[in-house]
Amino acid sequence: MLTVDFSRFPLAPGDRVLDLGCGAGRHAFECYRRGAQVVALDQNGEEIREVAKWFAAMKEAGEAPAGATATAMEGDALNLPFPDESFDVVIISEVMEHIPDDKGVLAEMVRVLRPGGRIAVTVPRYGPEKVCWALSDAYHEVEGGHIRIYKADELLAKMKQAGLRPYGTHHAHALHSPYWWLKCAFGVDNDKALPVKAYHKLLVWDIMKKPLATRVAEQALNPLIGKSFVAYATKPHLPVDAAK
């Protein structure tokens, strides 16, 4: 289940891509399939080991084209182990809401992104996220949990302050908002509640089968209750002030 829309955020074979805070690796895997030279980085060593296994399995199965490369590594988003201008593309999906120093993370991403490069940032959307916080303290008051809720204008302003030039936004995963509302209402750790189990089956069916009815429904609902806010930006060849 991808949050970044690659029709709006195109990749070229050979692009150097950093998936920062890659988690289970969903965006890194898609970039690898598209022929990129991918680095998947996360502070969670267990997840990184799983991502590395999947990269190896994808290579063995011939899922990535010739010339594509993939590396999984542990690292600190506030102290990236890469030289300046190392990447053509940076993706950070559902990560910034966890990090106290979000401005520091943006600065590091801009540092390692080449001039003219592209960045995709996704965070939980303000409205659906506020509902989750209102329904359940346990949803966000956990170690490593969400520490802030972004308004779209706030995130875009921080991206601009970091030296980026946003060029597009959208919302994603509308069908997932009711699922998380149900989880919060019945208990975030309670997977046995009948409404939660039933809705989870619907989501699995949707992800596996991609039926037209749910695809159309989600597209229609995304502007209203999309779970994620997605922003795309470029790094100017000149500093923003100098380019005006």
Side-chain angles (χ1 to χ4, degrees):
M1 184 186 72
L2 299 173
T3 308
V4 172
D5 181 349
F6 286 95
S7 69
R8 309 184 198 212
F9 189 69
L11 286 183
D15 274 352
R16 298 163 295 166
V17 177
L18 172 63
D19 185 3
L20 181 56
C22 64
R26 58 201 172 105
H27 289 105
F29 299 149
E30 180 64 19
C31 294
Y32 188 33
R33 291 188 187 99
R34 290 172 178 262
Q37 298 174 11
V38 184
V39 175
L41 184 143
D42 201 284
Q43 67 177 5
N44 186 316
E46 184 175 338
E47 287 196 312
I48 283 298
R49 287 187 287 275
E50 283 300 310
V51 170
K53 290 177 183 177
W54 279 104
F55 279 151
M58 291 172 67
K59 182 177 181 180
E60 181 70 21
E63 290 190 37
T69 62
T71 303
M73 61 185 296
E74 288 186 59
D76 180 358
L78 290 165
N79 186 23
L80 295 174
F82 311 112
D84 295 355
E85 303 178 8
S86 297
F87 295 96
D88 303 298
V89 173
V90 177
I91 296 171
I92 184 166
S93 182
E94 311 300 302
V95 173
M96 287 181 56
E97 68 275 9
H98 297 272
I99 300 177
D101 186 7
D102 57 346
K103 291 183 179 180
V105 172
L106 279 167
E108 272 293 88
M109 289 190 290
V110 171
R111 180 184 67 79
V112 301
L113 186 65
R114 68 165 176 81
R118 304 174 307 286
I119 187 168
V121 180
T122 91
V123 297
R125 184 183 185 175
Y126 184 82
E129 186 76 348
K130 285 285 283 187
V131 173
C132 289
W133 282 46
L135 289 171
S136 171
D137 290 337
Y139 172 79
H140 62 97
E141 290 181 357
V142 295
E143 184 178 355
H146 299 184
I147 62 170
R148 71 173 65 83
I149 307 176
Y150 287 101
K151 290 185 177 180
D153 290 347
E154 175 194 0
L155 178 61
L156 293 173
K158 287 186 176 183
M159 292 171 69
K160 291 174 183 176
Q161 290 167 6
L164 295 167
R165 190 166 280 161
Y167 69 82
T169 65
H170 64 90
H171 300 99
H173 309 318
L175 295 182
H176 287 250
S177 289
Y179 173 71
W180 281 102
W181 296 339
L182 287 170
K183 288 270 287 181
C184 290
F186 286 93
V188 290
D189 296 321
N190 181 10
D191 294 326
K192 295 182 179 180
L194 184 58
V196 175
K197 288 175 66 176
Y199 203 99
H200 184 262
K201 286 183 179 179
L202 170 67
L203 292 180
V204 171
W205 173 72
D206 174 57
I207 291 169
M208 298 300 294
K209 301 297 184 181
K210 297 181 175 62
L212 179 61
T214 55
R215 295 299 85 217
V216 171
E218 183 154 84
Q219 287 299 316
L221 290 170
N222 273 337
L224 301 173
I225 59 169
K227 183 75 169 66
S228 294
F229 174 71
V230 188
Y232 305 110
T234 59
K235 177 179 176 178
H237 287 276
L238 294 173
V240 172
D241 290 340
K244 288 181 180 178

